[in-house]
């Protein structure tokens, strides 16, 4: 059943996001060609400017669409009138959450890849690419040294940090909407206030933990070596606990405190 839910969610979101991503990549290729071979004066300068603005507009459109779909699909499908139908299906509430979370994470990663590819296609030059690669290698080499040459641990922590950041932020939206629906007459305002409270609470907790770490190891290790020993593990732990807590609360709210009025 989970696979069917994910397939349905993917089809519903792909109808808008796939064309947007394809158009963005196509415009990026066109801009690359125009900047490289097109004249730089007269009407062609206006066209170049227009196409540049259009590409920037599409970039924001892809970002906005991803965020809007993540929010509206959860709210409309589960907490509006459609919720009466969704919760009559022979499926558990955590399957509904998992299906939407999985698809939202997938589209978030896809959008980031498409946006970076768009900028690379349209504006990258051999010099800028070489500068980026050299800078990346230099910074990455410092990280490898900080991890005592343990590439495996470095990649595990980096990938975990990125994925958990995406998952935690999506679940923060979900739990805020789930708590906000308790405010019968002001669900949207309640969701917004809930999000602000959750966000600031997490930031405050993370700040306290990092302050404790800095005080504990003050003067004993430099910032670079603090990454593998404290900052990365603390951030990963907070994000993991945060994700689990938000998931459990969201599931509880949908299962025990559902309000579709």
């Amino acid at each position: 059943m989970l696979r069917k839910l994910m397939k349905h969610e993917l089809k519903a979101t792909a109808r808008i996001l796939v064309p947007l991503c394809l158009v963005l990549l196509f415009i990026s290729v066109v801009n690359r060609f125009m900047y490289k071979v097109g004249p730089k004066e007269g009407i062609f300068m206006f066209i170049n400017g227009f196409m540049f603005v259009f590409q920037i507009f599409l970039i924001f459109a892809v970002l906005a669409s991803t965020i809007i779909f993540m929010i509206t699909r959860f709210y409309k499908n589960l907490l509006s009138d459609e919720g009466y139908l969704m919760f009559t299906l022979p499926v558990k509430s955590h399957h509904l959450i998992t299906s939407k979370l999985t698809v939202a994470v997938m589209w978030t990663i896809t959008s980031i890849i498409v946006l970076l590819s768009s900028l690379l296609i349209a504006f990258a030059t051999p010099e800028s690419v070489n500068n980026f690669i050299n800078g990346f290698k230099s910074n990455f080499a410092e990280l490898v040294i900080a991890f005592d040459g343990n590439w495996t641990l470095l990649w595990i922590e980096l990938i975990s940090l990125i994925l958990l950041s995406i998952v935690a932020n999506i679940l923060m939206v979900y739990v805020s909407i789930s708590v906000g629906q308790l405010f019968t007459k002001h669900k949207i305002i309640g969701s917004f206030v809930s999000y602000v409270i959750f966000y600031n609470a997490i930031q405050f907790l993370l700040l306290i933990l990092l302050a404790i770490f800095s005080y504990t190891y003050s003067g004993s290790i430099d910032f670079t070596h603090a990454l593998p020993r404290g900052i990365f593990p603390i951030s990963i732990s907070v994000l993991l606990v945060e994700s689990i807590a938000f998931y459990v609360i969201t599931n509880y709210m949908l299962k025990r405190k559902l309000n579709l009025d």
Side-chain angles (χ1 to χ4, degrees), residues 156-187:
I156 289 175
E157 290 197 8
L158 279 176
I159 294 174
S160 298
L161 191 61
I162 294 171
L163 289 178
L164 282 173
S165 297
I166 296 173
V167 170
N169 279 283
I170 293 173
L171 285 172
M172 190 185 298
V173 173
Y174 288 177
V175 74
S176 300
I177 296 174
S178 300
V179 173
Q181 55 96 27
L182 295 178
F183 298 83
T184 306
K185 296 183 179 180
H186 305 284
K187 291 184 179 181

Side-chain angles (χ1 to χ4, degrees), residues 9-248:
E9 187 72 15
L10 190 58
K11 284 184 177 180
T13 52
R15 285 180 293 184
I16 298 296
L17 293 177
V18 168
L20 269 178
C21 291
L22 291 178
V23 170
L24 174 58
L25 293 176
F26 174 74
I27 294 299
S28 302
V29 173
V30 173
N31 279 343
R32 178 73 177 192
F33 177 78
M34 293 181 66
Y35 288 140
K36 187 173 182 179
V37 302
K40 301 297 187 297
E41 58 184 16
I43 187 64
F44 293 101
M45 179 180 291
F46 172 79
I47 295 175
N48 285 343
F50 174 80
M51 294 300 292
F52 171 77
V53 172
F54 186 48
Q55 180 176 350
I56 299 301
F57 169 79
L58 286 174
I59 288 175
F60 281 105
V62 171
L63 285 173
S65 298
T66 303
I67 296 172
I68 290 172
F69 267 113
M70 176 184 69
I71 297 173
T72 57
R73 291 290 301 174
F74 184 85
Y75 178 78
K76 287 186 176 181
N77 289 166
L78 302 182
L79 297 171
S80 67
D81 292 340
E82 293 182 21
Y84 289 104
L85 175 61
M86 294 298 294
F87 286 100
T88 58
L89 297 174
V91 58
K92 295 182 179 180
S93 56
H94 68 268
H95 285 160
L96 295 171
I97 299 171
T98 302
S99 64
K100 293 188 177 298
L101 174 63
T102 304
V103 174
V105 170
M106 187 207 74
W107 278 121
T108 300
I109 296 174
T110 301
S111 297
I112 293 173
I113 293 174
V114 169
L115 296 185
L116 293 177
S117 300
S118 170
L119 295 174
L120 183 65
I121 291 171
F123 307 114
T125 62
E127 182 180 358
S128 64
V129 172
N130 287 332
N131 289 337
F132 174 81
I133 292 176
N134 291 333
F136 178 81
K137 286 182 177 180
S138 175
N139 292 325
F140 197 78
E142 293 182 5
L143 281 176
V144 172
I145 294 174
F147 277 77
D148 297 324
N150 194 334
W151 286 71
T152 303
L153 179 61
L154 173 57
W155 279 112
I156 289 175
E157 290 197 8
L158 279 176
I159 294 174
S160 298
L161 191 61
I162 294 171
L163 289 178
L164 282 173
S165 297
I166 296 173
V167 170
N169 279 283
I170 293 173
L171 285 172
M172 190 185 298
V173 173
Y174 288 177
V175 74
S176 300
I177 296 174
S178 300
V179 173
Q181 55 96 27
L182 295 178
F183 298 83
T184 306
K185 296 183 179 180
H186 305 284
K187 291 184 179 181
I188 296 178
I189 295 177
S191 299
F192 177 77
V193 172
S194 299
Y195 182 86
V196 172
I197 293 174
F198 282 125
Y199 177 82
N200 284 287
I202 293 299
Q203 296 303 311
F204 183 70
L205 174 61
L206 189 58
L207 183 63
I208 291 177
L209 292 175
L210 291 177
I212 293 174
F213 174 81
S214 299
Y215 177 79
T216 303
Y217 293 96
S218 177
S220 60
I221 55 176
D222 59 29
F223 177 77
T224 302
H225 288 84
L227 287 174
R229 300 185 187 182
I231 296 177
F232 277 14
I234 289 175
S235 299
I236 290 172
S237 299
V238 170
L239 289 170
L240 180 60
V241 173
E242 173 187 347
S243 299
I244 294 173
F246 287 163
Y247 187 97
V248 171

